[in-house]
PDB file of all heavy atoms in Angstrom:
ATOM      1  N   THR A  97      24.504  -1.144 -21.712  1.00 92.00           N
ATOM      2  CA  THR A  97      25.210  -2.235 -21.032  1.00 92.00           C
ATOM      3  C   THR A  97      25.292  -1.968 -19.530  1.00 92.00           C
ATOM      4  O   THR A  97      25.198  -0.800 -19.100  1.00 92.00           O
ATOM      5  CB  THR A  97      26.609  -2.417 -21.599  1.00 92.00           C
ATOM      6  OG1 THR A  97      27.359  -1.186 -21.419  1.00 92.00           O
ATOM      7  CG2 THR A  97      26.533  -2.752 -23.066  1.00 92.00           C
ATOM      8  N   ASN A  98      25.442  -2.992 -18.756  1.00 91.00           N
ATOM      9  CA  ASN A  98      25.615  -2.837 -17.320  1.00 91.00           C
ATOM     10  C   ASN A  98      27.002  -2.310 -16.983  1.00 91.00           C
ATOM     11  O   ASN A  98      28.010  -2.814 -17.524  1.00 91.00           O
ATOM     12  CB  ASN A  98      25.382  -4.221 -16.597  1.00 91.00           C
ATOM     13  CG  ASN A  98      23.914  -4.629 -16.640  1.00 91.00           C
ATOM     14  OD1 ASN A  98      23.017  -3.803 -16.457  1.00 91.00           O
ATOM     15  ND2 ASN A  98      23.698  -5.872 -16.921  1.00 91.00           N
ATOM     16  N   GLN A  99      27.041  -1.346 -16.076  1.00 87.00           N
ATOM     17  CA  GLN A  99      28.345  -0.756 -15.704  1.00 87.00           C
ATOM     18  C   GLN A  99      28.939  -1.484 -14.496  1.00 87.00           C
ATOM     19  O   GLN A  99      30.098  -1.265 -14.152  1.00 87.00           O
ATOM     20  CB  GLN A  99      28.165   0.691 -15.382  1.00 87.00           C
ATOM     21  CG  GLN A  99      27.469   1.482 -16.486  1.00 87.00           C
ATOM     22  CD  GLN A  99      28.206   1.313 -17.836  1.00 87.00           C
ATOM     23  OE1 GLN A  99      29.415   1.492 -17.869  1.00 87.00           O
ATOM     24  NE2 GLN A  99      27.430   1.028 -18.897  1.00 87.00           N
ATOM     25  N   THR A 100      28.136  -2.313 -13.820  1.00 88.00           N
ATOM     26  CA  THR A 100      28.644  -3.151 -12.748  1.00 88.00           C
ATOM     27  C   THR A 100      28.047  -4.535 -12.979  1.00 88.00           C
ATOM     28  O   THR A 100      27.078  -4.730 -13.667  1.00 88.00           O
ATOM     29  CB  THR A 100      28.198  -2.609 -11.370  1.00 88.00           C
ATOM     30  OG1 THR A 100      26.788  -2.616 -11.303  1.00 88.00           O
ATOM     31  CG2 THR A 100      28.678  -1.178 -11.148  1.00 88.00           C
ATOM     32  N   SER A 101      28.621  -5.520 -12.240  1.00 89.00           N
ATOM     33  CA  SER A 101      28.103  -6.884 -12.343  1.00 89.00           C
ATOM     34  C   SER A 101      27.298  -7.309 -11.136  1.00 89.00           C
ATOM     35  O   SER A 101      26.403  -8.150 -11.254  1.00 89.00           O
ATOM     36  CB  SER A 101      29.281  -7.871 -12.540  1.00 89.00           C
ATOM     37  OG  SER A 101      30.195  -7.779 -11.414  1.00 89.00           O
ATOM     38  N   TRP A 102      27.583  -6.711  -9.950  1.00 92.00           N
ATOM     39  CA  TRP A 102      26.925  -7.182  -8.715  1.00 92.00           C
ATOM     40  C   TRP A 102      25.506  -6.697  -8.624  1.00 92.00           C
ATOM     41  O   TRP A 102      24.602  -7.451  -8.185  1.00 92.00           O
ATOM     42  CB  TRP A 102      27.716  -6.738  -7.500  1.00 92.00           C
ATOM     43  CG  TRP A 102      27.771  -5.210  -7.364  1.00 92.00           C
ATOM     44  CD1 TRP A 102      28.728  -4.393  -7.872  1.00 92.00           C
ATOM     45  CD2 TRP A 102      26.858  -4.400  -6.581  1.00 92.00           C
ATOM     46  NE1 TRP A 102      28.441  -3.088  -7.537  1.00 92.00           N
ATOM     47  CE2 TRP A 102      27.324  -3.083  -6.753  1.00 92.00           C
ATOM     48  CE3 TRP A 102      25.739  -4.661  -5.849  1.00 92.00           C
ATOM     49  CZ2 TRP A 102      26.649  -2.014  -6.128  1.00 92.00           C
ATOM     50  CZ3 TRP A 102      25.058  -3.612  -5.252  1.00 92.00           C
ATOM     51  CH2 TRP A 102      25.501  -2.291  -5.415  1.00 92.00           C
ATOM     52  N   TRP A 103      25.224  -5.451  -9.116  1.00 91.00           N
ATOM     53  CA  TRP A 103      23.874  -4.916  -8.941  1.00 91.00           C
ATOM     54  C   TRP A 103      22.842  -5.646  -9.881  1.00 91.00           C
ATOM     55  O   TRP A 103      21.814  -6.047  -9.416  1.00 91.00           O
ATOM     56  CB  TRP A 103      23.836  -3.416  -9.217  1.00 91.00           C
ATOM     57  CG  TRP A 103      22.440  -2.876  -9.112  1.00 91.00           C
ATOM     58  CD1 TRP A 103      21.659  -2.482 -10.168  1.00 91.00           C
ATOM     59  CD2 TRP A 103      21.710  -2.619  -7.945  1.00 91.00           C
ATOM     60  NE1 TRP A 103      20.416  -2.022  -9.671  1.00 91.00           N
ATOM     61  CE2 TRP A 103      20.437  -2.071  -8.332  1.00 91.00           C
ATOM     62  CE3 TRP A 103      21.958  -2.841  -6.555  1.00 91.00           C
ATOM     63  CZ2 TRP A 103      19.437  -1.774  -7.374  1.00 91.00           C
ATOM     64  CZ3 TRP A 103      20.962  -2.499  -5.636  1.00 91.00           C
ATOM     65  CH2 TRP A 103      19.725  -2.007  -6.095  1.00 91.00           C
ATOM     66  N   PRO A 104      23.158  -5.881 -11.150  1.00 94.00           N
ATOM     67  CA  PRO A 104      22.215  -6.642 -11.972  1.00 94.00           C
ATOM     68  C   PRO A 104      21.995  -8.088 -11.427  1.00 94.00           C
ATOM     69  O   PRO A 104      20.891  -8.522 -11.493  1.00 94.00           O
ATOM     70  CB  PRO A 104      22.927  -6.667 -13.351  1.00 94.00           C
ATOM     71  CG  PRO A 104      23.810  -5.468 -13.375  1.00 94.00           C
ATOM     72  CD  PRO A 104      24.268  -5.329 -11.937  1.00 94.00           C
ATOM     73  N   TRP A 105      23.050  -8.707 -10.923  1.00 95.00           N
ATOM     74  CA  TRP A 105      22.890 -10.017 -10.371  1.00 95.00           C
ATOM     75  C   TRP A 105      21.939  -9.979  -9.165  1.00 95.00           C
ATOM     76  O   TRP A 105      21.068 -10.823  -8.990  1.00 95.00           O
ATOM     77  CB  TRP A 105      24.265 -10.599  -9.903  1.00 95.00           C
ATOM     78  CG  TRP A 105      24.151 -12.022  -9.460  1.00 95.00           C
ATOM     79  CD1 TRP A 105      24.356 -13.171 -10.191  1.00 95.00           C
ATOM     80  CD2 TRP A 105      23.861 -12.453  -8.133  1.00 95.00           C
ATOM     81  NE1 TRP A 105      24.199 -14.263  -9.416  1.00 95.00           N
ATOM     82  CE2 TRP A 105      23.900 -13.891  -8.170  1.00 95.00           C
ATOM     83  CE3 TRP A 105      23.537 -11.820  -6.975  1.00 95.00           C
ATOM     84  CZ2 TRP A 105      23.604 -14.675  -7.054  1.00 95.00           C
ATOM     85  CZ3 TRP A 105      23.299 -12.607  -5.807  1.00 95.00           C
ATOM     86  CH2 TRP A 105      23.356 -13.980  -5.855  1.00 95.00           C
ATOM     87  N   LEU A 106      22.163  -8.993  -8.265  1.00 93.00           N
ATOM     88  CA  LEU A 106      21.326  -8.827  -7.119  1.00 93.00           C
ATOM     89  C   LEU A 106      19.888  -8.540  -7.496  1.00 93.00           C
ATOM     90  O   LEU A 106      18.905  -9.093  -6.918  1.00 93.00           O
ATOM     91  CB  LEU A 106      21.833  -7.733  -6.210  1.00 93.00           C
ATOM     92  CG  LEU A 106      21.409  -7.638  -4.786  1.00 93.00           C
ATOM     93  CD1 LEU A 106      21.906  -8.836  -3.989  1.00 93.00           C
ATOM     94  CD2 LEU A 106      21.840  -6.326  -4.108  1.00 93.00           C
ATOM     95  N   ASN A 107      19.756  -7.699  -8.518  1.00 93.00           N
ATOM     96  CA  ASN A 107      18.364  -7.350  -9.009  1.00 93.00           C
ATOM     97  C   ASN A 107      17.616  -8.556  -9.545  1.00 93.00           C
ATOM     98  O   ASN A 107      16.456  -8.768  -9.274  1.00 93.00           O
ATOM     99  CB  ASN A 107      18.519  -6.254 -10.076  1.00 93.00           C
ATOM    100  CG  ASN A 107      17.246  -5.403 -10.156  1.00 93.00           C
ATOM    101  OD1 ASN A 107      16.467  -5.279  -9.226  1.00 93.00           O
ATOM    102  ND2 ASN A 107      17.063  -4.812 -11.311  1.00 93.00           N
ATOM    103  N   ARG A 108      18.389  -9.371 -10.321  1.00 94.00           N
ATOM    104  CA  ARG A 108      17.748 -10.546 -10.976  1.00 94.00           C
ATOM    105  C   ARG A 108      17.437 -11.678  -9.933  1.00 94.00           C
ATOM    106  O   ARG A 108      16.306 -12.222  -9.961  1.00 94.00           O
ATOM    107  CB  ARG A 108      18.713 -11.103 -12.034  1.00 94.00           C
ATOM    108  CG  ARG A 108      18.202 -12.415 -12.641  1.00 94.00           C
ATOM    109  CD  ARG A 108      19.196 -12.958 -13.648  1.00 94.00           C
ATOM    110  NE  ARG A 108      18.839 -14.256 -14.134  1.00 94.00           N
ATOM    111  CZ  ARG A 108      19.508 -14.962 -15.031  1.00 94.00           C
ATOM    112  NH1 ARG A 108      20.603 -14.445 -15.557  1.00 94.00           N
ATOM    113  NH2 ARG A 108      19.091 -16.138 -15.398  1.00 94.00           N
ATOM    114  N   HIS A 109      18.382 -11.907  -9.038  1.00 94.00           N
ATOM    115  CA  HIS A 109      18.203 -13.137  -8.187  1.00 94.00           C
ATOM    116  C   HIS A 109      17.623 -12.823  -6.805  1.00 94.00           C
ATOM    117  O   HIS A 109      17.303 -13.754  -6.106  1.00 94.00           O
ATOM    118  CB  HIS A 109      19.562 -13.809  -8.038  1.00 94.00           C
ATOM    119  CG  HIS A 109      20.099 -14.358  -9.320  1.00 94.00           C
ATOM    120  ND1 HIS A 109      19.596 -15.509  -9.917  1.00 94.00           N
ATOM    121  CD2 HIS A 109      21.081 -13.945 -10.145  1.00 94.00           C
ATOM    122  CE1 HIS A 109      20.232 -15.783 -11.039  1.00 94.00           C
ATOM    123  NE2 HIS A 109      21.203 -14.835 -11.207  1.00 94.00           N
ATOM    124  N   LEU A 110      17.477 -11.553  -6.477  1.00 93.00           N
ATOM    125  CA  LEU A 110      16.974 -11.241  -5.120  1.00 93.00           C
ATOM    126  C   LEU A 110      15.872 -10.195  -5.132  1.00 93.00           C
ATOM    127  O   LEU A 110      14.733 -10.485  -4.794  1.00 93.00           O
ATOM    128  CB  LEU A 110      18.093 -10.820  -4.172  1.00 93.00           C
ATOM    129  CG  LEU A 110      17.690 -10.521  -2.723  1.00 93.00           C
ATOM    130  CD1 LEU A 110      17.223 -11.751  -2.055  1.00 93.00           C
ATOM    131  CD2 LEU A 110      18.912  -9.954  -1.970  1.00 93.00           C
ATOM    132  N   LEU A 111      16.181  -9.002  -5.644  1.00 92.00           N
ATOM    133  CA  LEU A 111      15.283  -7.885  -5.503  1.00 92.00           C
ATOM    134  C   LEU A 111      13.997  -8.089  -6.358  1.00 92.00           C
ATOM    135  O   LEU A 111      12.904  -7.743  -5.901  1.00 92.00           O
ATOM    136  CB  LEU A 111      15.962  -6.577  -5.858  1.00 92.00           C
ATOM    137  CG  LEU A 111      17.205  -6.215  -5.073  1.00 92.00           C
ATOM    138  CD1 LEU A 111      17.721  -4.915  -5.499  1.00 92.00           C
ATOM    139  CD2 LEU A 111      16.805  -6.150  -3.570  1.00 92.00           C
ATOM    140  N   GLN A 112      14.139  -8.601  -7.548  1.00 93.00           N
ATOM    141  CA  GLN A 112      12.984  -8.785  -8.425  1.00 93.00           C
ATOM    142  C   GLN A 112      12.549 -10.254  -8.583  1.00 93.00           C
ATOM    143  O   GLN A 112      11.700 -10.553  -9.366  1.00 93.00           O
ATOM    144  CB  GLN A 112      13.338  -8.250  -9.834  1.00 93.00           C
ATOM    145  CG  GLN A 112      13.565  -6.787  -9.914  1.00 93.00           C
ATOM    146  CD  GLN A 112      12.331  -5.959  -9.621  1.00 93.00           C
ATOM    147  OE1 GLN A 112      11.226  -6.482  -9.524  1.00 93.00           O
ATOM    148  NE2 GLN A 112      12.522  -4.613  -9.453  1.00 93.00           N
ATOM    149  N   ALA A 113      13.106 -11.116  -7.744  1.00 93.00           N
ATOM    150  CA  ALA A 113      12.842 -12.539  -7.911  1.00 93.00           C
ATOM    151  C   ALA A 113      11.617 -12.916  -7.105  1.00 93.00           C
ATOM    152  O   ALA A 113      11.435 -12.462  -5.925  1.00 93.00           O
ATOM    153  CB  ALA A 113      14.036 -13.373  -7.445  1.00 93.00           C
TER     154      ALA A 113
END
Side-chain angles (χ1 to χ4, degrees):
T97 59
N98 290 318
Q99 306 306 312
T100 62
S101 59
W102 64 271
W103 178 256
W105 186 94
L106 197 67
N107 206 23
R108 172 182 174 179
H109 295 287
L110 183 64
L111 301 181
Q112 294 294 350

